[in-house]
Amino acid sequence: MNKAIKLNAADNVAVALCDIKKGDNVFGITALEDIPKAHKILLCDLKEGENIVKYGYPIGHIVCDTLKGSYIHEHNLKTNLTDSFEYNFGGDCEYEPQKSDTKINAYKRADGKIGIRNEIWIIPTVGCANKACEQIALKSKKLGLEHCDGVFAYTHPFGCSQLEEDMTNTQKVLSGIVKHPNAGGVLVVSLGCENNNLNVFKSALGSVDKNRVKFLCLQEADDEIADGVKLVEEIYSTIKHDKREEVGIDNLVVGYKCGGSDAFSGITANPLCGKVNDLLVNAGASAILTEVPEMFGAEQILMTRAKNREVFVKTVNMINGFKDYFSSNGVVCYENPSPGNHEGGITTLEEKSLGCVQKGGTAVVTDVLSYAEPCKKRGLNLLYGPGNDIVSVTNLTAAGAHIILFTTGRGTPLGAPVPTIKISSNSDLYRKKPNWVDFNAGVLLESGDLAKSSKELLNLIITTANGEKTKNEVNGYKEISIFKNGVIM
């Protein structure tokens, strides 16, 4: 077995495939010190200030003269990123999806969308209603609703004492969830006196199917739990008649997310998602890539794939807008990797980003969405939002993702309201956490058969869309969180 892997011919570092000991031979180079698995070894001598190259791109610069065989990490590698950069449009990119015979079995909704689950969701307009929602869901589950995929309450702490953009964001997320096609029906629960009360929220929500979306005000109910359960039963009387029908895979919306990443995420799980994404968008499906801070340092790769100048400008504005968000809070925009990322071998934000954006494959970027904005276009969509795991999966759900591919190198049990396929970047995690992980991309370090693994993952997406439960669904790990920026009164 090789002790390390070089990802691109232009790279001057390799990634350790196992723990490397001082004195070990790696690509004809003697390791000068111990190097942990998934971390980097230098392949040539470098002078202070010269770039470290991985994935064929700079991931930062060396801080002192360094000899080949040295261990490269945060002690001697620093980011090249700055707060501002000027971007140039490189020209239009053509996107023309091909006709596909691939089918899934889904629920056709009246608005033309499809759902891959037929669940009842209970959504509080304000955090004060959380426990009532949970009690309504708990009692409703005891009713034995056979033709329903489950009753779930999605609680959050917001909806009151919020101002301006924060309140708008809360309403956008909750509206996106209420209208999500994986929910056959929804019960919206209000306290009654909150800023986001029913009258206010209904205005933000817009028109809904009154047989599938019901409303309850706790302060107006004599027995709020009993009244809530009765409304769930009314919703069920409608959705119990829904049946799966064969539809084209081009109706599917897939979201992408990575969390608890390690250095193998950008070598196995993320490129695997990219390969599958290319297959999906070529068949006319929609894809959503978010985590804007984890595009910093790799954003120009995405910009070169913008469909036209309008999409390019929207991408630039998205990147600069998030940098402005950082700077407005007195935070630099280039020190993102978490302690877990560092321990897993990721040193700089551009290193993390170059691995992260591979989930988008080589697809043309057809649109850029604001936070929680519904996805409307086929192809690859970029979605404004942070990298935080629970906020990101909620954002993807609100934007309309039917299913989320979530890559991880260190593991997380987190799940969205929609099926969340966990993909491990290494086999050790897959063996350790079989109750969390749905698919092992770590085999790519062993077999290198990307075509075989992409076919298997695509098949898992199809069977999941057809109703097979993911590990987060089996475990009941389904939750939401909302992006907050400003003052809470």
Side-chain angles (χ1 to χ4, degrees):
M1 172 184 169
N2 293 327
K3 292 183 179 293
I5 182 172
K6 184 177 177 181
L7 304 178
N8 187 285
D11 292 355
N12 55 21
V13 290
V15 178
L17 295 174
C18 58
D19 289 340
I20 294 173
K21 299 298 183 183
K22 180 179 178 180
D24 283 353
N25 184 292
V26 180
F27 295 128
I29 296 167
T30 300
L32 300 181
E33 50 200 315
D34 291 347
I35 299 169
K37 181 179 179 179
H39 289 241
K40 296 176 288 295
I41 181 172
L42 186 62
L43 301 178
C44 64
D45 296 343
L46 287 182
K47 296 290 186 181
E48 178 182 350
E50 290 188 298
N51 283 333
I52 297 291
V53 179
K54 182 181 176 185
Y55 302 112
Y57 295 91
I59 61 169
H61 63 273
I62 205 77
V63 300
C64 58
D65 292 356
T66 306
L67 298 176
K68 62 185 177 183
S70 296
Y71 174 34
I72 302 298
H73 202 29
E74 51 197 324
H75 62 286
N76 56 10
L77 169 60
K78 299 299 178 186
T79 182
N80 288 333
L81 294 180
T82 60
D83 292 326
S84 61
F85 193 87
E86 184 174 334
Y87 305 103
N88 296 306
F89 178 56
D92 293 350
C93 293
E94 184 178 347
Y95 170 61
E96 189 64 44
Q98 306 299 308
K99 182 176 176 56
S100 172
D101 295 327
T102 304
K103 306 292 183 182
I104 58 174
N105 296 309
Y107 300 96
K108 291 183 179 179
R109 304 305 186 192
D111 61 1
K113 296 179 181 178
I114 60 129
I116 64 170
R117 295 292 182 269
N118 203 38
E119 299 172 340
I120 296 175
W121 293 355
I122 303 176
I123 310 297
T125 61
V126 64
C128 304
N130 283 349
K131 291 302 176 183
C133 290
E134 290 176 351
Q135 287 297 313
I136 293 168
L138 184 63
K139 291 186 179 296
S140 296
K141 289 175 181 178
K142 297 178 181 179
L143 296 174
L145 310 180
E146 294 181 0
H147 301 288
C148 169
D149 292 326
V151 181
F152 304 95
Y154 293 116
T155 60
H156 61 89
F158 300 120
C160 197
S161 303
Q162 290 184 288
L163 302 174
E164 298 176 344
E165 183 180 5
D166 278 346
M167 178 57 74
T168 299
N169 283 343
T170 294
Q171 291 173 334
K172 287 178 66 176
V173 167
L174 297 183
S175 295
I177 292 174
V178 170
K179 292 186 173 184
H180 197 285
N182 281 10
V186 178
L187 173 61
V188 179
V189 180
S190 163
L191 176 61
C193 58
E194 70 272 23
N195 294 89
N196 193 36
N197 61 67
L198 285 184
N199 287 334
V200 171
F201 182 60
K202 284 181 179 180
S203 178
L205 180 63
S207 62
V208 294
D209 184 337
K210 294 181 180 179
N211 292 317
R212 293 179 180 268
V213 180
K214 304 288 185 180
F215 299 91
L216 173 66
C217 178
L218 299 182
Q219 291 175 343
E220 295 176 2
D222 293 327
D223 185 335
E224 67 275 7
I225 307 303
D227 289 354
V229 172
K230 182 179 178 181
L231 289 170
V232 168
E233 290 182 287
E234 290 180 13
I235 294 168
Y236 176 67
S237 69
T238 295
I239 76 162
K240 69 180 182 180
H241 301 293
D242 297 342
K243 297 185 184 301
R244 290 183 181 270
E245 302 177 55
E246 189 176 79
V247 299
I249 200 169
D250 57 319
N251 290 277
L252 199 62
V253 182
V254 178
Y256 294 93
K257 168 79 185 103
C258 54
S261 300
D262 68 357
F264 293 134
S265 295
I267 300 172
T268 60
N270 291 350
L272 174 61
C273 284
K275 179 67 174 177
V276 170
N277 182 65
D278 287 347
L279 296 172
L280 288 167
V281 299
N282 285 341
S286 300
I288 310 175
L289 187 66
T290 187
E291 304 176 278
V292 175
E294 295 173 27
M295 298 175 189
F296 293 167
E299 69 269 34
Q300 293 183 75
I301 296 174
L302 296 171
M303 290 175 184
T304 61
R305 304 200 323 247
K307 183 177 181 181
N308 51 40
R309 182 175 289 277
E310 178 186 1
V311 174
F312 167 79
V313 170
K314 290 171 73 173
T315 305
V316 171
N317 291 341
M318 178 187 71
I319 295 294
N320 287 339
F322 220 94
K323 287 183 177 180
D324 290 343
Y325 162 65
F326 273 47
S327 61
S328 68
N329 286 279
V331 178
V332 295
C333 69
Y334 40 78
E335 294 294 347
N336 175 266
S338 68
N341 292 154
H342 282 297
E343 188 175 338
I346 298 174
T347 309
T348 64
L349 181 52
E350 49 262 69
E351 180 179 9
K352 185 176 183 179
S353 295
L354 286 164
C356 181
V357 300
Q358 292 189 59
K359 297 192 299 293
T362 61
V364 172
V365 178
T366 56
D367 202 6
V368 178
L369 309 172
S370 63
Y371 177 67
E373 180 183 355
C375 174
K376 303 181 185 68
K377 294 185 179 180
R378 302 180 189 275
L380 180 61
N381 296 255
L382 306 182
L383 174 63
Y384 184 92
N388 176 273
D389 290 355
I390 189 168
V391 175
S392 288
V393 298
T394 304
N395 191 14
L396 289 166
T397 301
H402 297 109
I403 191 169
I404 295 172
L405 303 190
F406 192 124
T407 66
T408 181
R410 301 184 62 80
T412 174
L414 178 72
V418 300
T420 309
I421 295 178
K422 294 290 175 49
I423 305 168
S424 64
S425 67
N426 62 83
S427 297
D428 289 342
L429 173 61
Y430 183 72
R431 287 188 288 265
K432 183 178 181 180
K433 289 294 185 182
N435 59 318
W436 287 0
V437 180
D438 301 274
F439 192 90
N440 181 24
V443 296
L444 292 174
L445 294 174
E446 301 142 21
S447 70
D449 196 339
L450 182 60
K452 180 175 182 290
S453 291
S454 60
K455 183 178 180 180
E456 291 171 349
L457 180 55
L458 181 60
N459 185 62
L460 177 58
I461 293 169
I462 293 170
T463 57
T464 300
N466 290 343
E468 183 176 303
K469 288 187 176 182
T470 55
K471 297 293 175 65
N472 81 292
E473 293 180 287
V474 171
N475 295 329
Y477 297 158
K478 297 154 67 77
E479 52 193 315
I480 68 170
S481 185
I482 301 171
F483 190 30
K484 174 193 168 296
N485 182 31
V487 173
I488 290 182
M489 298 293 288

